[in-house]
Amino acid sequence: MEVVDYDLGPERRDAAPDLRVLVVGPGPRSDSWAYVTAGCWAAMEKDGHGLEFVMTAHVRDQRFIELMAMIAYYHCGGHQLDLEHSMPIGEPWVPGSTCDHLLISLPYLHGPDLEHCPVPEGHARILWTLPVTTAEIEFRRRHGHEALEQVFDEAEIIPTDPFRASVA
């Protein structure tokens, strides 16, 4: 595991002043890389409860660290995210990908033990940021979050595949 200090810059620093991204390499439970925010909870907690976010990717790349910083700023800078929310990336997840949004979901790939994380002053809930397409976000708006997740299950998507086909 590597801890990357991430300064959002002078205009944005106050949103998450102590932001770090934990970069966790593949191991016995997963062949993927995990990127986890650390600092959202401290910036946004209420009554000891707050969120952090995890993204799972096929490789170790600075791009994913930057995306986690983008998520942290979006969440802490005025667009408070939560389960079943989404966030536009404004560009492909990686070059050539049709995934251009992030869907906030339960951390299915990592199991329920990751979701609930005790911290000294309370509890952090870690939610998964799943790259999805604009069409999938539109499907979710029409049919609901649960319906989209069911379609993902039926299609057996590989969530770390940046070039996967849209299911909607």
Side-chain angles (χ1 to χ4, degrees):
M1 182 179 80
E2 175 187 0
V3 178
V4 178
D5 289 319
Y6 199 97
D7 185 347
L8 292 169
E11 303 279 321
R12 299 177 175 175
R13 186 175 297 129
D14 290 343
D18 298 317
L19 179 64
R20 294 170 315 284
V21 177
L22 310 178
V23 180
V24 183
R29 294 180 64 189
S30 173
D31 63 352
S32 299
W33 289 81
Y35 299 83
V36 186
T37 62
C40 292
W41 181 90
M44 299 291 293
E45 67 92 10
K46 288 189 176 38
D47 300 322
H49 299 285
L51 298 178
E52 296 291 351
F53 302 92
V54 62
M55 176 181 284
T56 310
H58 58 298
V59 295
R60 194 235 182 268
D61 193 291
Q62 183 66 25
R63 167 71 173 155
F64 305 118
I65 294 169
E66 291 165 0
L67 279 171
M68 296 312 291
M70 182 189 300
I71 292 160
Y73 179 71
Y74 191 85
H75 175 68
C76 299
H79 297 87
Q80 193 167 351
L81 293 168
D82 206 342
L83 186 62
E84 300 183 9
H85 289 184
S86 61
M87 177 187 126
I89 300 173
E91 61 190 19
W93 182 37
V94 298
S97 175
T98 58
C99 296
D100 58 0
H101 283 72
L102 297 172
L103 181 66
I104 308 302
S105 187
L106 296 175
Y108 296 116
L109 287 183
H110 304 281
D113 290 343
L114 180 68
E115 181 184 355
H116 302 286
C117 179
V119 294
E121 295 87 22
H123 166 268
R125 187 175 191 197
I126 301 175
L127 297 176
W128 187 23
T129 56
L130 172 65
V132 296
T133 67
T134 298
E136 291 164 345
I137 292 296
E138 289 302 318
F139 178 92
R140 185 196 62 162
R141 286 185 182 128
R142 287 191 311 276
H143 303 287
H145 185 85
E146 220 26 70
L148 178 58
E149 287 199 349
Q150 184 175 357
V151 171
F152 286 153
D153 287 345
E154 290 168 1
E156 298 179 352
I157 68 163
I158 299 171
T160 58
D161 179 2
F163 307 110
R164 70 170 179 80
S166 180
V167 299

